[in-house]
Amino acid sequence: RTIHSMCLMILREFAPPEWRPSGIVSGKVKTEYVSDALKTCGFTENQFPVEEILKFIDEIKTSEEPEQKLKYSDKERVLIYQAYTARLDFLKLVDFPDLIHQTRMLFDQVPEVCRDVQQNIKYILVDEFQDLDAAQYALIHKLAGQTIPMTVVGDDDQTIYNFRGSQPKIFSRFEREHSPGIVKMEVCYRCTEIILKGAQRMI
């Protein structure tokens, strides 16, 4: 599964009824909801472009400590964020970053759900590990706990989604928190030597 589809499954199949979303907001609908939140707070799109607020909302929700990040954010943007999330809460809807955020909150506030999910898992394998943001890593770390073996596959030289919150330091954090054995895959079988040398020079 993707991390998002895993979280949706957990919320629908393991969570108490009050935690289960009725649907997912994305694309044009999410943009409309943000635009409505702007108007509700008395702002115009000239003051706060919708794309800028969409980015702000995602940055908050993909951080490891959203409440702490909100605390030190611009007050006007926080008001818009709160108006947007209040509408989602009222309609029992979630957006994609919410799937991670809500599942983490569920595990923290209803620990028996985390234990129920863990009982269905023997191993965890995370591919493209370099693409995880802080919230996704915190969720996987919580899910693995102290007992479930976890393997990750990734390349810190390919951390290209920094604009979505991924960070090369996630590798050192994983090493610190899980003390893994490391297998280096240093032979590339799908690129010619000239491509490899060019890529290495760029890195």
Side-chain angles (χ1 to χ4, degrees):
R1 294 177 179 271
T2 65
I3 293 179
H4 291 93
S5 71
M6 177 190 75
C7 288
L8 183 60
M9 179 272 292
I10 290 169
L11 291 170
R12 285 181 170 168
E13 296 184 21
F14 290 87
E18 63 271 19
W19 285 84
R20 294 173 193 165
S22 61
I24 300 174
V25 170
S26 63
K28 288 183 180 179
V29 176
K30 182 174 179 177
T31 302
E32 286 171 13
Y33 282 13
V34 169
S35 183
D36 290 344
L38 275 168
K39 294 169 187 171
T40 299
C41 295
F43 301 120
T44 67
E45 292 185 25
N46 287 331
Q47 293 172 285
F48 296 103
V50 171
E51 287 300 320
E52 180 187 309
I53 298 301
L54 284 166
K55 183 180 178 184
F56 173 74
I57 289 169
D58 286 351
E59 282 176 358
I60 295 295
K61 292 186 178 186
T62 57
S63 66
E64 191 164 353
E65 298 180 348
E67 295 304 321
Q68 196 69 13
K69 197 171 180 71
L70 276 174
K71 188 176 176 181
Y72 296 101
S73 297
D74 176 77
K75 289 182 179 178
E76 286 82 3
R77 287 177 176 80
V78 172
L79 281 174
I80 300 165
Y81 173 90
Q82 290 171 337
Y84 167 77
T85 55
R87 184 171 186 182
L88 294 194
D89 290 344
F90 178 74
L91 297 171
K92 293 199 73 177
L93 296 172
V94 294
D95 55 24
F96 279 101
D98 268 332
L99 291 169
I100 311 293
H101 182 55
Q102 298 273 29
T103 306
R104 286 182 61 208
M105 286 199 306
L106 175 65
F107 285 172
D108 288 339
Q109 295 178 28
V110 193
E112 57 267 30
V113 172
C114 187
R115 290 194 292 270
D116 288 345
V117 176
Q118 287 171 331
Q119 287 175 3
N120 287 273
I121 298 174
K122 289 184 179 179
Y123 310 98
I124 293 175
L125 167 64
V126 185
D127 196 14
E128 304 292 0
F129 185 67
Q130 73 276 357
D131 295 342
L132 266 63
D133 59 41
Q136 291 170 344
Y137 175 76
L139 173 73
I140 297 296
H141 175 67
K142 177 87 173 179
L143 189 57
Q146 301 298 314
T147 57
I148 300 175
M150 178 159 68
T151 298
V152 306
V153 182
D155 179 359
D156 54 358
D157 284 332
Q158 293 188 46
T159 307
I160 60 172
Y161 291 109
N162 303 72
F163 63 94
R164 289 206 310 231
S166 62
Q167 304 166 340
K169 67 181 181 182
I170 201 168
F171 287 90
S172 56
R173 182 172 173 185
F174 175 70
E175 288 180 44
R176 186 175 67 252
E177 294 180 342
H178 292 271
S179 302
I182 298 173
V183 178
K184 293 186 177 181
M185 302 171 71
E186 297 180 312
V187 178
C188 178
Y189 294 96
R190 64 181 182 181
C191 293
T192 61
E193 191 64 24
I194 192 168
I195 292 173
L196 290 172
K197 285 181 177 177
Q200 195 60 46
R201 280 200 299 272
M202 186 172 289
I203 290 167

